Amino acid sequence: MNEGERRRFIPPGADHVPKGRMLALSDGVMAIAMTLLVLDIKLPEGLSGTELRRALGEVQSQASAFLLSAVVIALFWRAHHAALRNAGALDPALFWLNVAFLVLVSLIPFPTQVLENYGDRFLGPGLYGAVIGTAALVVYAMDLRTSRSAGVSWRGVPLPAQAVVFLLSVGIAWVSPLAAICSWAATVPLAVLADRIAARGR
């Protein structure tokens, strides 16, 4: 069978992945990533007095990093489902965008641990901002693609406030790691503003 004959027997859309299967895989990856965050919170046994208080202080730091990344993953889960709301089966481009997103989400426990241990240096907030910002940018690209396929204007897709804030924080971390971490709070008001602007463009 030559190439032309083979193509005649391949139904249109055969290279598309059912959305339900991809959502199931994505939900599983995000759940595992969130679970791995908890495994980093450890309190050594047999401590007392000053050592115990010091260890509890370290656990509080670990818990803060866990809470931050748990919220980030939860927001990614919501944004991911919103991005695929207009999708049918996933074409190859959307499939690989989704794979890239899942790879970045599965990496989140690592930069979380680096942030916890090196939050006062560029490496901590710099690496964290790069991973989270890139993942948010990939979700935005997925949203643009599914919206275009559904006939929705790009103006109706909220601008990626999370991507902008976290990627800019990488540069800020060169000057001040603490300022970079504090800048992440700007994600909330900017995301609200982006949603309002997108609502006007629909």
Side-chain angles (χ1 to χ4, degrees):
M1 180 182 296
N2 58 39
E3 183 65 20
E5 292 175 333
R6 188 181 71 83
R7 288 180 177 177
R8 277 186 291 171
F9 286 97
I10 299 177
D15 57 346
H16 288 38
V17 177
K19 183 172 74 171
R21 295 197 64 184
M22 184 54 74
L23 286 176
L25 173 63
S26 302
D27 290 349
V29 169
M30 284 185 265
I32 291 172
M34 192 174 292
T35 301
L36 290 176
L37 293 173
V38 181
L39 299 181
D40 288 332
I41 303 178
K42 299 176 181 179
L43 182 65
E45 298 179 1
L47 300 180
S48 61
T50 303
E51 291 182 345
L52 178 58
R53 288 191 293 272
R54 185 182 300 113
L56 287 173
E58 293 176 357
V59 167
Q60 289 178 355
S61 175
Q62 294 172 351
S64 297
F66 160 76
L67 182 60
L68 171 64
S69 291
V71 170
V72 166
I73 293 175
L75 292 175
F76 272 146
W77 179 86
R78 181 181 179 184
H80 179 264
H81 277 258
L84 294 181
R85 65 189 179 282
N86 294 319
L90 277 67
D91 61 25
L94 195 55
F95 169 80
W96 286 112
L97 281 172
N98 198 84
V99 169
F101 169 71
L102 295 182
V103 169
L104 291 165
V105 168
S106 66
L107 280 175
I108 289 178
F110 174 66
T112 299
Q113 188 175 29
V114 174
L115 177 64
E116 174 199 332
N117 295 327
Y118 300 97
D120 57 344
R121 306 179 192 178
F122 165 76
L123 179 62
L127 179 61
Y128 194 88
V131 171
I132 302 303
T134 303
L137 202 59
V138 173
V139 174
Y140 177 65
M142 294 173 63
D143 204 353
L144 284 177
R145 185 164 186 84
T146 58
S147 296
R148 184 177 64 180
S149 299
V152 178
S153 170
W154 64 270
R155 295 182 180 84
V157 179
L159 295 173
Q162 191 176 25
V164 172
V165 170
F166 277 91
L167 290 177
L168 284 178
S169 75
V170 177
I172 297 174
W174 277 109
V175 181
S176 171
L178 179 59
I181 295 173
C182 292
S183 71
W184 298 339
T187 299
V188 177
L190 288 178
V192 172
L193 178 62
D195 287 339
R196 291 180 178 178
I197 294 174
R200 295 174 185 173
R202 295 189 183 113

